[in-house]
Amino acid sequence: IIRLCSLPLCVMPSKSYYLNSKVEPGLQSGFSGQKRKRECSSDSEEELEDLDPEPKHPWDVETLCGLEMTLKRQRVYLVQPEHHEVFARLLEDPVVKRFLAWDKKLRVSDKYLLSMVIAYFSRAGLFSWQYQRIHFFLALYLANDMEEDNQAPKQDIFHFLYGKSHAQRPLFHKLRYQFIRSMGWNTWVSREECEEIQTYNPELWVWGRDRLKSLA
């Protein structure tokens, strides 16, 4: 039996924005029918110049043709460099390294599932130093839960961590529930985001874990 963590799982409030958050219907076309009158004094204008510009709306108008409008979704990625650093640090953990070497057929840890681990780190709201070994396995289990139709391979994670013992599984599922809640239940990760995550450090050795190539 592998001791995953000697400290309780730290759960911070989830971030208030996510990649698949709903977008308000308001649009900015970038065109105005009338010129706005200047009603502010020069002093107030100087104060306004000091303010930060408003963030761009995630939907931009790409083309206008008569009454038809074409919208283009802006890509917004919330994964920060520190999340990649946390992931790289955990790859050096001896238990994580043994697990990845043990999963030779990449049933539960191919490059896309590992990319989702980084995406989940970015959404959980923890400080970089708070991520421990247990978070890697919680995120990887959740990635398999979301993406794999066959639920049997997930049992491989339990088999590696706990052997035939079932005593620790209820605690694992309790921590998994807390981890999901810390992400605001935002567990879906697109393939596009996974590939964007991989391009941050394309030389990282785990991005060579291509399941299709391994089966060829």
Side-chain angles (χ1 to χ4, degrees):
I1 300 176
I2 297 173
R3 184 176 180 84
L4 289 178
C5 176
S6 61
L7 299 176
L9 178 67
C10 300
V11 177
M12 299 288 288
S14 61
K15 296 181 179 178
S16 60
Y17 51 92
Y18 301 98
L19 293 176
N20 62 349
S21 59
K22 295 182 178 179
V23 179
E24 296 296 332
L27 301 174
Q28 296 178 352
S29 63
F31 296 93
S32 177
Q34 297 180 351
K35 295 182 178 179
R36 296 178 59 186
K37 296 181 179 180
R38 292 193 174 184
E39 300 176 352
C40 302
S41 65
S42 58
D43 293 338
S44 60
E45 288 178 353
E46 292 179 356
E47 294 176 357
L48 290 175
E49 290 178 354
D50 294 334
L51 297 177
D52 294 332
E54 295 183 359
K56 294 182 179 179
H57 202 282
W59 288 96
D60 276 352
V61 175
E62 190 175 32
T63 59
L64 285 174
C65 181
L67 297 178
E68 296 183 358
M69 180 182 298
T70 302
L71 301 179
K72 182 179 180 181
R73 175 73 173 182
Q74 291 182 342
R75 294 189 303 173
V76 181
Y77 297 106
L78 304 181
V79 179
Q80 301 297 323
E82 55 263 30
H83 304 130
H84 291 276
E85 294 171 3
V86 167
F87 180 74
R89 171 171 61 82
L90 290 176
L91 288 180
E92 298 302 317
D93 183 275
V95 176
V96 173
K97 292 177 72 173
R98 275 195 289 140
F99 173 79
L100 294 177
W102 175 76
D103 185 27
K104 296 179 180 179
K105 295 183 179 180
L106 311 182
R107 298 180 66 193
V108 292
S109 60
D110 70 357
K111 62 181 181 180
Y112 287 102
L113 294 171
L114 292 173
S115 300
M116 293 176 68
V117 171
I118 300 179
Y120 290 155
F121 285 173
S122 72
R123 301 175 186 181
L126 301 180
F127 293 110
S128 299
W129 56 267
Q130 291 177 305
Y131 286 102
Q132 303 174 32
R133 178 190 301 162
I134 182 62
H135 297 95
F136 176 89
F137 288 104
L138 291 173
L140 187 60
Y141 185 95
L142 179 57
N144 279 270
D145 200 26
M146 291 294 298
E147 293 298 319
E148 300 299 323
D149 295 330
N150 185 2
Q151 299 299 305
K154 290 192 306 181
Q155 302 305 313
D156 292 345
I157 298 177
F158 286 133
H159 179 75
F160 176 85
L161 296 176
Y162 308 123
K164 296 182 179 180
S165 175
H166 289 250
Q168 296 295 324
R169 295 190 183 189
L171 176 59
F172 185 93
H173 285 298
K174 180 179 180 180
L175 296 177
R176 180 175 63 91
Y177 172 79
Q178 294 178 0
F179 190 67
I180 296 173
R181 189 173 60 180
S182 73
M183 294 190 294
W185 311 97
N186 182 28
T187 57
W188 182 79
V189 183
S190 68
R191 186 182 183 92
E192 181 185 28
E193 184 181 357
C194 288
E195 293 174 350
E196 184 75 12
I197 287 172
Q198 294 168 24
T199 60
Y200 176 81
N201 184 7
E203 302 301 322
L204 191 64
W205 64 272
V206 292
W207 304 145
R209 297 173 68 86
D210 192 323
R211 188 182 306 179
L212 294 179
K213 291 183 179 180
S214 67
L215 296 177

